[in-house]
Amino acid sequence: MVDPTSDLEEDVDEESAPRCATCGEPALGVDRRTLTWVDGVDVEHRHFCSQTCRDDWADERPEAGG
């Protein structure tokens, strides 16, 4: 089932997929992670190809001191 709130539907290929914020690889598949936060009036998000890349990410969120 495709998540109706996701912009990554079943037909997304590697070229059009968002890139991992840590390693730059396509963020696709079941290991994909997305982090979303609000910064003032802006909504920010970062995509990750795996939990490992998510853990290794240099956190840039304001409350994280980045």
Side-chain angles (χ1 to χ4, degrees), residues 24-37:
E25 291 295 316
L28 289 171
V30 297
D31 292 330
R32 176 179 172 261
R33 301 287 183 263
T34 302
L35 179 66
T36 304
W37 69 96

Side-chain angles (χ1 to χ4, degrees), residues 9-25:
E9 297 183 16
E10 292 177 351
D11 60 349
V12 173
D13 60 16
E14 286 191 19
E15 289 183 22
S16 60
R19 298 294 165 177
C20 177
T22 302
C23 72
E25 291 295 316

